[in-house]
Amino acid sequence: MSELIICEKPKVAEKVAKALSDSPVKNSYKRVPYYEFTNGNGTKITVLSAVGHLFSLKAKNKKDKRLFDVEWVPLSETDKSKKYVKNYIDTIKKFSKDADRFIHACDYDTEGTLIGFNALRYICGEDSIDKSFRMKFSALTKKDLIESYSNAYPLKEDKSWVDSGETRHVLDFLFGVNISKSMTDSVLNVTNRYVQLSAGRVQTPTLAILTEREKEIQKFIPEPYWLIKAKLQKSIVADHKKGKIFDKKEVDAILKNCKGKDATVEKITNRKTKKDLPVPFELGTLQSEAYAQFGFTPRKTQQIAQNLYVEGYTSYPRTSSQKLPESLGLPNILSQLSKHPKYKDKISQLEQPYKPHEGKKTDEAHPAIHPTGTLPKDISEDYQKIYDLITYRFISIFGKPAEMESIKVELDIGGEPFSFSRQRISKEGWLSLDPYQYKKVKNEEFPEIKEGQTTKAKVASEEKETKPPARYNQASIIRELEKRGLGTKSTRANIVSILYTRKYVEGKKIEVSQLGQQIINTLEKYSERITSEQMTREFETDISNIKENEITEATVIEDAKKELNGILDSIDDNIEDIGKELYGAYEQSRIVGKCGCGGNLIIISSPRGGKFVGCSNYPDCKKTYSLPAGANVLKTTCEKCGLPLISYGKPRQRACLDFECANGGQKSTNDVVGECPDCGKDLIKRMGRFGEFIGCTGFPKCRFTSSIDDFEKSKKESEKKD
């Protein structure tokens, strides 16, 4: 009897093997690790892994005008950078031949279920499904893994999860590939230029939400208003009760009434309130809190949380639950955490029996995010921050409510009403258990003041302007997507990241680029349905209903094709107008400044790789500026020459686009020092951002460069050989 256990990632395979056996033997095949042992029943067990998705979707015939006919193929066929995936497929295939029983031990969600199911049906064979069982776990501790293995159930019970996950992939492929292709073809049709443009089933409605906010900001006309404030003793500032005043005459009248008058305390209101305990983290709130505390992007937080889970330090992160069931062994987790002094100090303040404060949100697959009790060793500073955030939150939900005390002081100055408020912590409660939350709470000193008391006051007005709606940041747009039912907890961070990669948005406070805005404007004009969140939300509901066996995969995919045909028909009917508008926006997006000749400085992709800045009047103007790898051209301009600044390197540095200006005016000598080994043209001494170097006169077509030292060394070695 032999058994094959397939995990999602190599680290998980190691943990599963070590949980099920005290002495598994580690080997490798084609550089892929696997583990073998024999259990008490004499069954030979092999544990190995995938590396995430081993298969991806591909159009069966790329020549079709509309790519609706798709199939699963090895990931290495669609992504040349993933050639190593073939070794994992070959390893699973090798050990599946003699297996009598299969265990699917990938992450317990729709993606993980699909990953393992595809490995079984496309590598081990369709008949392997009947002999396959599913492990369900939320943490990679020995206890959880042994329990999960002992309670493995027939994989066929999760078929609706497979169908749901597969439908999401098919819909994302159909919409993303076909609409992107149609947009790209529209530009090609009009300009004979290939410009890669991107759209997506969730990506485009997300960009539409951001563009809508961008338009609100652009249309906003600021309006002046005044605030009237009174400075009192001990740096107390009181505000006039009218708040924003838009009439300057009214402001002047109030100031006249207050001039030279003292402030009289008319009323002091004391209030005590309870500050309820927080609820456990789910992925969205963890991402929001990590952004607020550390400035981590949601995608970075998700990646760190996933790796902490894989290492066995925290539970599965892609959950929407705010529940922590007793079956997790909560007292034991707290006991294990107490082995670290900084957690022990907090846990010692808790009262037994331990009862967690939970939220309303649930998840059918996993509990809320929590530490497992296994303390981290040798993790990076960023990983420690996320671990501490999770752990302090976990400890605090077993605490007691905090109590806040506030006062509101109402004043009269020359017959005008003013007031100020103060707040402080009167009982720390759970706030003492979570340092991150403690520092967010106002804890102010209360002034010694009594009703009827008078004090000197200096009243003045402050002129301000109304502000446009706030821009989204990465955390707030993800919260907005969740609120609107777009995407999933697992995909939202990646969707936002794609918009940055495509240069459709930029900045910490998200600003939509001209290209991003024009894509939405064009699609809304000619094919509004693709930008509509309603369509995306309808399909999200359908995908969830597949999981519940309320609708079939085939029905949803067929409906998607009909919807997509309508969208593509409307693009085809307006192909010339769409092509012109999109290309115009693309050209505009490349402009970074003005050239001395009057042309535009634009970002150009070199045929040999990389990018540089050149003049739009080429070949009449051959002015070029090199760009270091990974450089971004900024909107900020150089104070000396007016050219844009660039951001480059790690850590990021800023410098003028013109490297001669950046080097204080030092110019290239242009001394010819030899012949280019790549193209045969002259090599000359040039001045760059990092000093003098050797470059080819064939730039930008030839991008050969060398440091002075390396060039001299190479030249001497060549002379010795001669």
Side-chain angles (χ1 to χ4, degrees), residues 108-110 113 158-166 364-365 547:
Y108 193 73
D109 60 8
T110 51
T113 302
D158 279 351
K159 185 60 170 63
S160 64
W161 284 47
V162 174
D163 293 345
S164 176
E166 184 170 57
E364 59 195 328
K547 234 173 165 181

Side-chain angles (χ1 to χ4, degrees), residues 218-234:
Q218 290 170 356
K219 288 178 183 176
F220 183 82
I221 299 173
E223 188 179 355
Y225 68 90
W226 290 263
L227 296 174
I228 300 178
K229 296 179 179 289
K231 288 185 179 179
L232 312 176
Q233 43 100 0
K234 293 186 178 179

